[in-house]
Amino acid sequence: MTGARDMSGGGSEWELVIGLEVHCQLKTQSKIFCGCRTSFGDAPNSNTCPVCLGLPGALPVLNAHAVALATRASLALGCTVHEESVFARKNYFYPDLPKGYQISQFDRPLATNGAIVVGANADATPRVIRVHRVHMEEDAGKSVHDRFADATAIDLNRAGTPLVEIVSEPDIRSAADAAAYAKRLKQILEYAQVSDANMEEGSLRVDVNISVRRIGDTALGTKTEIKNLNSFSAIERAAEIEFARQRTVLAAGGRIEQQTMLYDDKRNEVRPSRSKEGSHDYRYFPEPDLPPLQLAPAYIADQQAALPELPPARRTRFAAQYALADAEIEQLLATRELADRFEDVAAAAGDAKRAANWMLGPVLASVNASGTPLAHHPVSPERLGALIALEVSGQLSNTAARQLFTILEQDGGSPLDVARAAGLLQVRDDEALVRWIDEVFAEHAAEAARFTSGEKKLQGVLVGLVMKKSNGSADPRKVNQLLAARGG
């Protein structure tokens, strides 16, 4: 693996080392230790109770569905799920953390030792990025700085929301790979249906740990942590900025301080927030109100069986079953919903290549333009498959197929019936085609005479004139055949 190089520091060469900590909200209807709702966008502080407010005497009760989803997430990442894990108190103070501590897991997490591959099939050098651990924890609330001019408001709706924190090993060597890892992780979590992974709503947040060392060194440098990034572009830009800052400091003989950083996307800059705590600063100790989490081998096996076909396996199958290009496969696998719909369309059409072209072309263009979710697109997979079958059989030209698609979007109906009623089906009757050809020959006598005398290059011109004469309804293949019989 090649490190990033910089020759500005007196001829020195520097390597970027990145590890990611990803906080993912689990797809539950209630919080991890109480029955309060986890819905996004509700009125501030409306989804709270004595447990998530940290009131004296309130005791946590573990959400069983959160455990199931966390287990599936771990297995989807190839991790070993441990039969026993322990919840711990992570002690620190924030205004939006009412208990004064966060219930998390520390030295005995739910799962360890997974991996994510980036670059597979998209380029020649796939990179394996190890997943160090997956642990469960509760989220804190939210400090709202823009509600009042001279005060910060606190919304505790998120307090107690169930999370898994997914911590990678420091295996990432470029800002681009950091973003690629986050994209692949998001994709896996969505396929496993353990989270909606909506970065805009805070369901997936990324902390980027960055250090720099001379190429060839094995010891890690002092790291800084850029907190709460919520887009792939922000991950990449923030990592590049911090890499440039650290190597400039080191090249000048300076020292990197361990600290937490914030990325300002408006100014496109990374700035210090506070000194970075170590694990000893949090005074971890086992959560006295929760017993160790015990998972039977049969339970873990059941969660493994509940997983769907995940992107790596589906990528391999698509290549073998549908003979699609790697780029097409990557686009189709972007979301589980898109991949599922493609397969339904391909089955209905009997032509996977054309199904892929339609899904990645007209269908996605329509979805993006209208804002309609793919699941609610008015042209069902069965109807689109029937439309594609008409195109494959030659009953519809490509232009007519696009016109039919637009009509089906607006009015629905059977593709064949609608195409027939709209006059979109290609005319293949020899008598009708000959009549159009005769009319074109009469109107373009000079070109027709040269063609019949042997000027073959005019055949394409004459086909175009016949298609225009028929308003696009003539079957061009049949027209070509009939013209060829008349050529000199």
Side-chain angles (χ1 to χ4, degrees):
M1 211 177 287
T2 303
R5 296 172 180 265
D6 171 59
M7 303 301 293
S8 63
S12 299
E13 298 179 344
W14 304 98
E15 180 177 56
L16 173 63
V17 180
I18 299 177
L20 298 187
E21 299 173 10
V22 179
H23 297 83
C24 170
Q25 178 177 337
L26 296 170
K27 203 172 185 177
T28 61
Q29 294 184 346
S30 57
K31 296 184 180 181
I32 189 169
F33 299 124
C34 66
C36 292
R37 287 161 48 90
T38 57
S39 53
F40 178 80
D42 289 351
N45 298 307
S46 59
N47 299 330
T48 58
C49 72
V51 173
C52 51
L53 291 176
L55 299 183
L59 296 175
V61 177
L62 183 59
N63 183 331
H65 188 47
V67 175
L69 294 181
T71 303
R72 289 178 207 169
S74 302
L75 293 168
L77 297 171
C79 292
T80 298
V81 175
H82 302 297
E83 294 179 23
E84 182 174 286
S85 57
V86 175
F87 285 97
R89 289 190 180 182
K90 181 180 181 181
N91 295 274
Y92 62 98
F93 173 78
Y94 280 128
D96 50 18
L97 189 70
K99 292 194 296 286
Y101 61 86
Q102 176 190 36
I103 299 178
S104 181
Q105 292 183 313
F106 178 48
D107 55 341
R108 300 185 65 186
L110 176 69
T112 54
N113 299 328
I116 289 177
V117 178
V118 301
N121 291 340
D123 61 40
T125 55
R127 280 85 66 199
V128 177
I129 298 170
R130 294 170 297 163
V131 174
H132 174 61
R133 59 184 278 150
V134 179
H135 64 261
M136 299 181 68
E137 64 185 22
E138 62 179 341
D139 203 354
K142 180 180 180 181
S143 296
V144 182
H145 304 292
D146 57 359
R147 183 66 61 88
F148 305 103
D150 56 354
T152 294
I154 303 296
D155 180 6
L156 294 174
N157 278 348
R158 285 196 67 89
T161 295
L163 305 176
V164 285
E165 182 173 347
I166 301 163
V167 182
S168 82
E169 296 285 1
D171 291 343
I172 302 170
R173 295 293 178 269
S174 73
D177 271 1
Y181 169 91
K183 288 178 184 177
R184 190 71 79 206
L185 174 58
K186 181 179 188 292
Q187 182 187 49
I188 291 170
L189 296 172
E190 288 175 337
Y191 267 74
Q193 294 186 314
V194 300
S195 173
D196 61 21
N198 189 323
M199 300 182 83
E200 292 181 356
E201 295 181 0
S203 298
L204 193 74
R205 307 191 301 273
V206 180
D207 300 340
V208 181
N209 292 296
I210 293 178
S211 63
V212 173
R213 64 188 177 190
R214 293 187 185 277
I215 290 177
D217 286 354
T218 56
L220 294 174
T222 301
K223 70 177 180 180
T224 59
E225 181 180 29
I226 308 172
K227 297 285 288 185
N228 291 330
L229 299 173
N230 64 355
S231 74
F232 303 123
S233 59
I235 292 169
E236 190 164 353
R237 289 198 303 267
E240 289 172 345
I241 292 169
E242 179 60 8
F243 178 37
R245 184 191 72 85
Q246 287 196 25
R247 71 189 186 208
T248 299
V249 170
L250 293 172
R255 183 171 61 90
I256 302 299
E257 295 185 13
Q258 183 169 318
Q259 56 189 333
T260 297
M261 317 288 285
L262 295 176
Y263 172 64
D264 186 331
D265 60 347
K266 294 180 181 178
R267 298 182 178 181
N268 198 33
E269 66 178 18
V270 173
R271 60 175 181 268
S273 171
R274 64 178 189 273
S275 61
K276 173 64 180 171
E277 299 88 350
S279 61
H280 62 279
D281 295 311
Y282 293 120
R283 295 176 291 116
Y284 282 101
F285 62 86
E287 168 56 67
D289 294 330
L290 289 169
L293 176 59
Q294 305 277 352
L295 301 180
Y299 174 89
I300 298 172
D302 286 345
Q303 301 311 315
Q304 179 76 62
L307 288 173
E309 184 183 35
L310 295 171
R314 205 167 199 181
R315 189 174 294 109
T316 300
R317 180 172 65 81
F318 272 27
Q321 182 175 346
Y322 299 122
L324 299 173
D326 289 342
E328 291 175 309
I329 293 173
E330 285 302 312
Q331 288 178 281
L332 291 168
L333 292 179
T335 66
R336 180 178 174 181
E337 185 177 50
L338 177 59
D340 287 346
R341 199 171 182 97
F342 155 72
E343 294 215 78
D344 290 341
V345 172
D351 189 317
K353 180 65 176 178
R354 291 199 188 223
N357 291 341
W358 272 91
M359 289 303 302
L360 298 175
V363 174
L364 286 187
S366 172
V367 166
N368 293 334
S370 66
T372 303
L374 181 59
H376 300 147
H377 191 271
V379 182
S380 68
E382 294 74 21
R383 284 177 178 162
L384 181 56
L387 182 157
I388 294 171
L390 290 174
E391 185 183 23
V392 171
S393 69
Q395 296 180 71
L396 283 178
S397 67
N398 180 262
T399 300
R402 296 296 183 105
Q403 290 177 279
L404 178 57
F405 180 74
T406 300
I407 296 172
L408 293 176
E409 281 187 299
Q410 297 169 353
D411 303 324
S414 160
L416 179 58
D417 292 343
V418 173
R420 185 178 289 122
L424 295 174
L425 291 179
Q426 293 198 133
V427 176
R428 312 185 78 185
D429 176 66
D430 283 3
E431 184 177 342
L433 296 176
V434 167
R435 185 172 62 251
W436 283 324
I437 291 172
D438 288 342
E439 290 177 6
V440 166
F441 271 44
E443 294 169 3
H444 302 274
E447 289 83 355
R450 286 158 50 202
F451 171 68
T452 55
S453 297
E455 199 168 331
K456 298 294 187 182
K457 65 182 181 181
L458 284 172
Q459 181 164 333
V461 174
L462 294 171
V463 170
L465 292 170
V466 173
M467 295 303 296
K468 184 177 180 181
K469 171 70 69 175
S470 68
N471 292 320
S473 64
D475 182 343
R477 287 174 289 187
K478 290 284 290 181
V479 173
N480 262 305
Q481 290 172 9
L482 293 170
L483 281 172
R486 292 197 184 190

